[in-house]
Amino acid sequence: MYALYYQPFACSYAVHAALEKTGQPFALHRVNLLAGEQQTEAFLAINPQGQVPVLQFEGETLTQAGAILLRLSELHPEAALMPDPSSPLRNSALKALFYLSSTLHPAFAVLFHPERTSNSARDEVKAMSLERVKVQLRYVDGVFDEHTYCTGEHPFAPDYLLLAILNWCRLFQISLDAFPNIKRFVNAMNELAEVKKASMTESQAMVT
Ligand SMILES: N[C@@H](CCC(=O)N[C@@H](CS)C(=O)NCC(=O)O)C(=O)O
């Protein structure tokens, strides 16, 4: 059985939704990032990076949201988490997954932790990264000129990761009104059964 270490509505939410899509059994282990649990000796033994998501299965421990999503897509091809390797959509799905992991997610990470860039100029760092995030959101909004999801009309793993990241806009008062295509994407994603299920579970975890 899979075990997912997660924090409600962190990037681990993408893996949670993907696990729901596979229909496989999994156990959730909450790591309270706000309480600093990611830095406990017990968790660092699981992931020395002190971050979620972590997925454990069959004695393996896998970290990095993109890697986990790709691995799940390989292990459960029937869940169609990625376009088939022979599909012309495969390139854009890979590009989207790596873009999100290497560009959009890190841009938000600076908003969450400006002190990791400069302890003495937090406000300046935050203001600069907010602008950087908005530039990237304009790019993403443009991608959705052509289609509903990252690669077309079918949701794949990058879409779960993008949704997880976009949920953070609210935390930083970034209105999606300026990004109508993104708004349409979020609404479409929130209708998916696996997203509804993961959201409900994580919302309940927040109030307990
Ligand atoms: N490159 C990693 C980044 C993971 C990451 O930044 N996780 C955040 C939650 S979204 C986290 O655990 N932050 C806690 C911390 O950095 O202290 C990935 O893609 O999985």
Side-chain angles (χ1 to χ4, degrees):
M1 181 160 98
Y2 289 108
L4 173 65
Y5 290 80
Y6 84 111
Q7 154 79 19
F9 299 105
C11 53
S12 44
Y13 172 74
V15 177
H16 188 177
L19 281 169
E20 288 290 1
K21 185 77 196 295
T22 66
Q24 298 292 314
F26 61 90
L28 290 171
H29 300 283
R30 183 172 179 182
V31 182
N32 191 334
L33 299 182
L34 304 176
E37 279 176 17
Q38 71 274 36
Q39 289 301 328
T40 58
E41 205 178 313
F43 186 70
L44 289 173
I46 296 169
N47 181 8
Q49 293 289 327
Q51 292 182 321
V52 294
V54 178
L55 189 70
Q56 290 184 321
F57 57 102
E58 291 170 7
E60 275 184 57
T61 296
L62 193 53
T63 61
Q64 299 298 327
I68 296 171
L69 291 167
L70 272 178
R71 191 72 185 111
L72 284 174
S73 79
E74 292 169 352
L75 292 167
H76 305 288
E78 70 290 348
L81 293 172
M82 284 292 282
D84 188 82
S86 64
S87 161
L89 298 180
R90 181 84 176 182
N91 283 355
S92 32
L94 285 171
K95 188 177 84 171
L97 200 51
F98 281 76
Y99 162 76
L100 294 168
S101 295
S102 68
T103 305
L104 191 60
H105 187 179
F108 270 96
V110 183
L111 279 179
F112 279 107
H113 296 290
E115 76 286 357
R116 291 179 185 173
T117 301
S118 166
N119 216 356
S120 58
R122 291 179 187 208
D123 290 346
E124 209 178 326
V125 167
K126 240 179 148 165
M128 284 173 73
S129 52
L130 194 58
E131 282 318 301
R132 169 105 182 115
V133 162
K134 286 181 182 168
V135 167
Q136 294 306 322
L137 292 179
R138 273 194 287 279
Y139 163 75
V140 173
D141 200 64
V143 169
F144 292 134
D145 271 342
E146 308 284 323
H147 34 70
T148 311
Y149 302 104
C150 289
T151 54
E153 296 310 317
H154 179 92
F156 289 112
D159 297 293
Y160 299 133
L161 188 52
L162 178 56
L163 182 68
I165 295 170
L166 290 172
N167 280 338
W168 304 334
C169 286
R170 261 173 294 168
L171 300 177
F172 300 104
Q173 287 83 46
I174 301 171
S175 167
L176 290 185
D177 288 344
F179 309 105
N181 291 338
I182 290 183
K183 236 173 147 173
R184 195 164 38 89
F185 164 82
V186 169
N187 290 339
M189 288 299 291
N190 283 330
E191 287 304 312
L192 301 176
E194 64 275 23
V195 167
K196 282 185 178 169
K197 216 161 170 203
S199 290
M200 194 178 293
T201 306
E202 298 203 4
S203 300
Q204 279 165 359
M206 300 251 290
V207 293
T208 54

